[in-house]
Each structure stands twice: as C-alpha cells, then as structure tokens.
Amino acid sequence: NAGVTQTPKFQVLKTGQSMTLQCAQDMNHNSMYWYRQDPGMGLRLIYYSASEGTTDKGEVPNGYNVSRLNKREFSLRLESAAPSQTSVYFCASSSGGRAYEQYFGPGTRLTVT
Amino acid sequence: QKEVEQNSGPLSVPEGAIASLNCTYSDRGSQSFFWYRQYSGKSPELIMSIYSNGDKEDGRFTAQLNKASQYVSLLIRDSQPSDSATYLCAVDQGAQKLVFGQGTRLTINP
C-alpha cells in the first residue's frame, strides 16, 4: 500500500517549456488535490477533484491545467512554465463525503529558470 | 478567502517541556480541524483531527478546540528533539477543501 505517489521528485525547466506532474493514490479515495508550497506562503490549493469526472479551481489556478484520468490518477500540467511557478508541488487525496482528512504525496520540487 | 492564522515562530522549547501551538480561523461555519506535521524537505503528515469543542488526546498530543473563540491549539507533552518540525493547522472550508495556515516552526532544544 504505497498511499499517494508523485512523479517526478525533482524537475528543472526552462521558461516556456511544458511538463506534466503525475499523481496516483491506491487508497480508493474519491477526492484529489494539487497544492503548491512556497516559503512563507503555506500550502495553496491549485486545483482539486471532488470525485472522478469533476475538477474545480482552487486559490491559484492560473497557468495550470489538470486531468482526473480515473479514480486513482490526477495530473497537473504546466503549459508554458514561468519562473513564478518555481515551487514544491504536493498532491493529496481524501476519501471525500463528510471526511476532510487529506493525505499527501512526497512532493515534486520544480525549478523554472 | 477564509483565513487560518498561526504564529510562524520559531518556537523554541526545552526537551521534556510542553509545546503549545495555536491557530485561529475566520469561518464560523467550519466543522473539521486538523494538525499536520512537516519535517524539513518532507510532505505534511496528518497527526490530529478534532471536530467537537473540548480536548482530544492521542499519546503525547492533545488538540483543543473552542468554536466560540474560533481557536484551535495543539499541545505536545514531554517534547522530544524528534518533534522539531513545522506544524500546520488546517480548517475545512466546505466543498471538500481545506485551508492551511502558514505553519509554526517548532524547535525542541536538548
């Protein structure tokens, strides 16, 4: 039981390049989330998916797109990376319904030069 | 944007003492409250959840909730150097979402 997994662990991009961050969970959770964490800013929600087939914007969605591929997988895409997107990205999942406990993946450290 | 406020610290506590971490929130409608621990370079780890007013104890950790004052706290008894981490307070904002505070950095001094 791996919990929440993320790939890659580290990535360096040049400005304007694109990439997709992958996330998968094996806990049969309904809800999945993408956050970014910057020094002094805490965790900020980018996008979330309350259930398979639905996605919604969070606090900081600009410059990102998401796909809920199936119940297990939720990907985050940067179409044209900018230095302001340098951050640590965390994926999380939750069983949903009345339960709000979220469980986090190990994170992806992204640098955009 | 609903807010969650924490003192960013650093909070320095001697080994064996009680560490007290505090959090206030703005949304009176919130019903679910969580404490996460995050070691440097690692992901947040859920350590406590609390839903009702009063205290909830789990080992050396006690979460306290006062909805009237919109206040959540975490007490760590018999603090150990391994408790040195950043502690994040999280509060539900409905629609399956949590809002996180900025975190309090705790250092336990041997």
Side-chain angles (χ1 to χ4, degrees):
Chain A
N1 190 341
V4 181
T5 57
Q6 293 183 236
T7 55
K9 287 187 168 52
F10 301 93
Q11 184 71 49
V12 179
L13 291 178
K14 294 187 188 310
T15 297
Q17 288 184 319
S18 62
M19 78 161 296
T20 300
L21 281 65
Q22 305 286 355
C23 174
Q25 51 90 11
D26 62 2
M27 296 179 283
N28 199 35
H29 282 172
N30 291 312
S31 302
M32 298 185 73
Y33 308 82
W34 277 106
Y35 292 91
R36 61 178 289 173
Q37 188 175 39
D38 303 293
M41 299 293 289
L43 283 162
R44 292 185 292 170
L45 183 64
I46 304 171
Y47 270 94
Y48 70 106
S49 171
S51 61
E52 188 179 356
T54 69
T55 60
D56 286 287
K57 295 178 181 179
E59 182 186 355
V60 288
N62 291 343
Y64 305 95
N65 286 300
V66 290
S67 295
R68 183 76 183 265
L69 305 169
N70 48 54
K71 190 171 185 178
R72 289 187 64 247
E73 298 172 288
F74 189 38
S75 63
L76 178 72
R77 182 160 178 84
L78 287 71
E79 291 290 352
S80 179
S84 61
Q85 294 178 305
T86 294
S87 189
V88 180
Y89 291 85
F90 290 105
C91 178
S93 71
S94 168
S95 57
R98 294 173 63 86
Y100 280 81
E101 294 92 345
Q102 294 183 14
Y103 299 90
F104 285 79
T108 295
R109 189 172 296 272
L110 175 67
T111 302
V112 183
T113 61
Chain B
Q1 171 67 16
K2 297 165 186 175
E3 294 182 350
V4 176
E5 299 286 341
Q6 295 181 254
N7 187 326
S8 61
L11 177 64
S12 185
V13 173
E15 183 175 357
I18 296 175
S20 178
L21 303 161
N22 303 315
C23 171
T24 59
Y25 60 95
S26 63
D27 182 9
R28 284 196 172 274
S30 296
Q31 298 293 321
S32 305
F33 307 87
F34 306 93
W35 284 99
Y36 286 80
R37 178 177 62 199
Q38 187 175 25
Y39 293 115
S40 181
K42 302 296 186 182
S43 59
E45 173 193 9
L46 179 64
I47 55 171
M48 289 287 286
S49 58
I50 187 166
Y51 305 95
S52 304
N53 278 330
D55 294 1
K56 179 182 178 182
E57 187 174 318
D58 184 359
R60 294 186 296 111
F61 297 98
T62 299
Q64 299 175 317
L65 174 61
N66 184 326
K67 290 184 181 178
S69 301
Q70 296 174 248
Y71 179 92
V72 191
S73 64
L74 180 70
L75 301 178
I76 307 174
R77 289 183 302 282
D78 188 23
S79 297
Q80 302 297 311
S82 60
D83 295 324
S84 297
T86 296
Y87 289 80
L88 303 170
C89 174
V91 177
D92 85 85
Q93 56 174 149
Q96 292 301 311
K97 295 187 289 184
L98 295 178
V99 58
F100 287 81
Q102 293 186 3
T104 298
R105 188 155 55 94
L106 174 66
T107 299
I108 306 300
N109 299 309

